[in-house]
Amino acid sequence: MKLELGNFYVKDIVFGEETSYKDGLLTVNKEEALKVVFEDEHITEADLVIVKPGDEVRIMPVKEAIEPRHRVGGGPVFPGVTGDLMQAGNGRTHCLKDCSVLVVGKHWGGFQDGLIDMSGEGAKYTLFSQFINICLVADTDEEFEKREQQKKNHALRWAGMRLSEYLGSCVADMEPETLDTYELAPVTKRSEEVNKLPSVVLVLQPQSQMEELGYNDLNYGWDCNRMVPTFMHPNEVLDGAMISGSFMPCSSKWSTYDFQNYQMIRRLYAEHGKTLNFLGVIMSNLNVALEQKQRAALFVAQMAKSLGADSAIVAEEGYGNPDADFIACVVALEDAGVKTVGLTNECTGRDGMSQPLVTLDVKADAIVSCGNVSELIKLPPMKTVVGELEALARDGLSGGWSTDEVLGSSVKEDGSIVMENNAMFCGDRVTGWSTKTMSEY
């Protein structure tokens, strides 16, 4: 499979008469763009707001991030989700870089939503403060879940994907400024030189623990709760086959943008044929029952061994209950003779003194930490709030609270906040973006 990602580097975004791209300037016809959003009758109100790095802006509650793209030659950017099923990972897709579509609740947040600060202390915690973002701020008539802590956010998430496709279409017939090419020979057809290198498989554990459909990550539109570990070409992940769900504390989440730009995949590609032989991706899942966790771990280990993997990297989306899947997978791989490195965040409490993962094993002796979800963060007020700041305290976000004996409410009268890292949108960057470091004292 050969995938070409054509890149157009967005330096500024403005509203104007025609949606177009020229010399780094993305112009958006707001009226046309909102028509795309309102194609879903469940969207009751919506607006678009442009925010830029350095703006004194706080965004809350953020539900999703998506890179605007266009599939050259036809077909949906997200096969099986925004259009008919087709093979992802082949051909050319055009990408608007250094920007994203952020899906933001106009009113209602939930357990899985988060916060982005575009400047100040809070900006360092999330990748998306570095981008020019088009915020889709919207509400729906999905009354049944407005006051539910867990929300599917279906209408809002799908509107974000349609908007991203609409924006991406403006570069459909243009020549990209740079072109990234991703191609791997079939595992059994690689050169002698490549086969002599240490072989690595990447095991991804996207969030799939909700047994009711509609909350979990999607694989070609298929709810990951219904799948078993599956061997995938890494190009498929980079090219729209995977969609973020609406579950899991926000700092642990992998947004759709993260899947589209999965940094660990890109790094393994960069090393392929030089220092290692990148076999591909085993897309696993996260389960609820112990037997399900053990079964998935056995599937993964057998698949890795059958592929001839010398080593593996395992990355989990989430923490707590998913830690059992994560550690079980690492142990099963080690038992199969596959040297394994884990990639995860931790839940070590506000003081950093608690056990980092729910379950541990002596065989899991090489784990890269991406941060502590419980770290306490205090941020001053911002001049402007996009969305509704009260959601952080009111709506059961995993890192916010309405009252605390010592700290009071997460949202203070002056607009300053105190919260756990849990509520920072994709803040732990487990997909490979993380700039955090660990020091031993």
Side-chain angles (χ1 to χ4, degrees):
M1 296 175 71
K2 181 179 179 180
L3 173 65
E4 294 180 328
L5 294 179
N7 303 312
F8 299 81
Y9 296 94
V10 176
K11 297 180 176 64
D12 198 7
I13 304 177
V14 296
F15 293 122
E17 293 184 1
E18 181 183 4
T19 297
S20 62
Y21 176 85
K22 184 178 181 180
D23 298 330
L25 177 64
L26 175 62
T27 302
V28 180
N29 181 313
K30 190 173 184 178
E31 183 179 355
E32 274 188 10
L34 286 173
K35 284 182 180 178
V36 173
V37 171
F38 280 110
E39 287 175 7
D40 188 333
E41 61 184 10
H42 293 290
I43 303 289
T44 56
E45 52 181 323
D47 193 13
L48 301 180
V49 179
I50 298 170
V51 298
K52 304 175 184 180
D55 287 351
E56 293 185 54
V57 172
R58 178 162 290 152
I59 314 169
M60 159 67 68
V62 185
K63 300 174 179 293
E64 170 69 299
I66 309 159
E67 183 172 82
R69 289 187 173 187
H70 174 78
R71 189 176 298 281
V72 178
V77 172
F78 305 107
V81 179
T82 56
D84 293 338
L85 274 171
M86 63 174 290
Q87 183 73 64
N90 272 322
R92 179 180 288 192
T93 295
H94 284 174
C95 316
L96 293 174
K97 308 303 292 183
D98 301 327
C99 70
S100 78
V101 169
L102 296 179
V103 180
V104 185
K106 186 175 179 64
H107 299 297
W108 304 104
F111 177 76
Q112 64 288 319
D113 298 338
L115 176 145
I116 295 173
D117 273 0
M118 295 302 296
S119 64
E121 172 70 12
K124 72 181 184 182
Y125 287 94
T126 175
L127 174 73
F128 297 94
S129 64
Q130 303 172 29
F131 297 157
I132 305 172
N133 299 300
I134 300 175
C135 299
L136 168 59
V137 188
D139 199 9
T140 77
D141 64 1
E142 295 164 312
E143 300 290 337
F144 70 94
E145 65 174 31
K146 274 188 176 179
R147 291 173 176 79
E148 292 291 326
Q149 189 184 32
Q150 297 287 353
K151 295 175 173 62
K152 296 180 181 179
N153 290 316
H154 183 277
L156 297 179
R157 290 160 58 214
W158 263 244
M161 285 185 278
R162 292 196 305 276
L163 177 59
S164 298
E165 289 186 330
Y166 166 77
L167 296 172
S169 68
C170 75
V171 294
D173 301 319
M174 299 177 66
E175 280 300 311
E177 295 156 31
T178 62
L179 193 66
D180 295 328
T181 301
Y182 298 95
E183 186 174 15
L184 287 178
V187 174
T188 59
K189 305 293 184 182
R190 298 182 182 177
S191 68
E192 183 178 354
E193 291 76 15
V194 170
N195 282 329
K196 286 180 179 178
L197 296 170
S199 55
V200 183
V201 66
L202 176 61
V203 181
L204 302 183
Q205 296 179 313
Q207 185 51 234
S208 55
Q209 288 188 290
M210 292 291 280
E211 294 184 343
E212 180 181 342
L213 302 183
Y215 295 97
N216 298 306
D217 293 358
L218 300 178
N219 187 333
Y220 283 103
W222 185 255
D223 193 296
C224 289
N225 183 264
R226 298 295 188 264
M227 65 178 280
V228 294
T230 302
F231 183 65
M232 293 182 69
H233 197 289
N235 289 5
E236 295 177 280
V237 182
L238 297 177
D239 196 33
M242 295 297 299
I243 300 299
S244 176
S246 190
F247 179 58
M248 207 61 227
C250 205
S251 71
S252 305
K253 283 183 68 167
W254 302 345
S255 69
T256 296
Y257 185 100
D258 288 311
F259 280 119
Q260 292 172 299
N261 295 276
Y262 211 102
Q263 286 300 290
M264 188 54 66
I265 290 177
R266 289 178 178 239
R267 181 60 190 274
L268 288 168
Y269 253 119
E271 296 297 324
H272 178 70
K274 300 174 183 177
T275 62
L276 55 84
N277 177 9
F278 182 24
L279 298 175
V281 172
I282 298 176
M283 191 64 65
S284 189
N285 51 355
L286 296 169
N287 303 280
V288 178
L290 181 59
E291 183 180 313
Q292 296 168 350
K293 298 173 187 291
Q294 293 170 336
R295 183 183 297 112
L298 292 175
F299 264 115
V300 168
Q302 175 275 128
M303 211 174 295
K305 195 66 176 177
S306 297
L307 288 167
D310 299 312
S311 57
I313 300 170
V314 179
E316 67 165 328
E317 181 183 13
Y319 68 93
N321 189 293
D323 293 344
D325 302 76
F326 175 70
I327 294 297
C329 190
V330 171
V331 170
L333 285 163
E334 288 282 346
D335 286 343
V338 180
K339 296 296 183 183
T340 304
V341 173
L343 183 61
T344 182
N345 54 11
E346 308 172 58
C347 183
T348 58
R350 293 175 184 174
D351 60 1
M353 299 298 290
S354 298
Q355 179 171 303
L357 303 176
V358 166
T359 182
L360 293 168
D361 192 284
V362 293
K363 295 175 183 176
D365 57 0
I367 294 178
V368 177
S369 171
C370 298
N372 174 19
V373 300
S374 301
E375 179 186 353
L376 204 60
I377 299 172
K378 297 181 180 180
L379 299 174
M382 284 285 180
K383 284 185 178 179
T384 303
V385 173
V386 174
E388 191 169 71
L389 186 58
E390 289 74 17
L392 176 63
R394 183 192 63 211
D395 297 339
L397 273 71
S398 54
W401 52 85
S402 59
T403 183
D404 181 275
E405 290 182 1
V406 177
L407 298 171
S409 172
S410 280
V411 179
K412 309 303 181 184
E413 290 185 4
D414 65 352
S416 62
I417 61 172
V418 56
M419 68 180 204
E420 290 184 354
N421 178 48
N422 254 323
M424 192 62 69
F425 184 75
C426 298
D428 293 328
R429 310 183 190 183
V430 178
T431 55
W433 303 97
S434 185
T435 57
K436 296 177 182 178
T437 58
M438 180 178 291
S439 298
E440 185 175 349
Y441 294 96

